[in-house]
Amino acid sequence: MVSRLWLVIILCLASHTAYADKKVYRWKDENGNWVYSDTPRKGAAEVKINTHFLTMPATDTSVLGNSSAQQNATEYKATIIAPNHKQTLRDNTGSVYVSGQITPRFAKDFTVQLYLDGKPTGPKQHTITFALRNVPRGEHSIQLMVFNSKGKVVTKSDETIFYLHKARANQ
């Protein structure tokens, strides 16, 4: 109990050095424990602190930064792996299977959306494989877009062109 009290005192004193113009107050709570705060309350007494001996050198806390700041600092790259650019696909049902790659591996709260001819093919998802159905024959472009948890585009792939051929019924 005594060591905890000293820890609280030391923490209060250390925080006080950062704000030398602030005051520290103490009072006993309902359990009889001393409570220290920078906010006065009824029955609290001001604690006199000698900050001359409490000066500490600055510490680099950049490694403690939050993950969203690190996500913003990371440069992500999206690539369409399949189909290849300008590849001809033959499928009479109009099924096209798209695979992508995000490097480095994207954060768990990121989502990916596939665009076919500039329009989304479905809702955003957490995987980078897509199955398109009933794609009409002809030339098409696809593109991946990666979004962060706030819906902001983090990165997007280059457009990939593919050609879908279907057998004709009269042949």
Side-chain angles (χ1 to χ4, degrees):
M1 181 68 175
V2 174
S3 63
R4 234 188 315 176
L5 177 62
W6 279 110
L7 178 63
V8 170
I9 292 171
I10 290 170
L11 289 175
C12 288
L13 296 178
S15 67
H16 182 70
T17 61
Y19 303 98
D21 58 330
K22 298 275 185 178
K23 296 180 179 181
V24 176
Y25 303 91
R26 84 173 187 166
W27 65 90
K28 282 195 176 183
D29 68 8
E30 60 276 357
N31 297 324
N33 297 318
W34 286 107
V35 178
Y36 292 84
S37 175
D38 61 349
T39 307
R41 87 180 250 186
K42 188 176 180 180
E46 184 178 339
V47 177
K48 298 294 180 191
I49 300 173
N50 182 356
T51 60
H52 177 70
F53 297 107
L54 298 176
T55 305
M56 295 177 64
T59 303
D60 179 17
T61 59
S62 62
V63 296
L64 303 175
N66 63 23
S67 61
S68 64
Q70 291 172 350
Q71 289 173 1
N72 292 339
T74 303
E75 208 163 307
Y76 290 91
K77 182 175 180 179
T79 309
I80 294 176
I81 305 277
N84 292 325
H85 186 60
K86 296 197 175 181
Q87 181 178 358
T88 299
L89 305 173
R90 289 173 173 73
D91 189 298
N92 291 336
T93 65
S95 295
V96 177
Y97 301 95
V98 179
S99 296
Q101 180 179 21
I102 312 295
T103 53
R105 185 175 178 169
F106 62 98
K108 66 180 177 180
D109 60 343
F110 281 8
T111 53
V112 183
Q113 193 164 32
L114 179 67
Y115 289 79
L116 174 67
D117 300 325
K119 297 176 184 164
T121 60
K124 297 173 185 171
Q125 61 185 44
H126 294 282
T127 60
I128 50 176
T129 56
F130 301 85
L132 304 178
R133 304 284 185 230
N134 301 317
V135 177
R137 120 186 136 93
E139 179 181 316
H140 299 282
S141 67
I142 51 176
Q143 185 176 37
L144 290 175
M145 288 198 189
V146 180
F147 298 87
N148 65 13
S149 60
K150 296 177 182 172
K152 181 182 173 198
V153 175
V154 174
T155 189
K156 58 185 175 180
S157 70
D158 293 334
E159 280 192 354
T160 296
I161 305 291
F162 70 91
Y163 308 99
L164 183 61
H165 288 203
K166 293 182 180 182
R168 290 189 183 172
N170 61 359
Q171 287 183 344

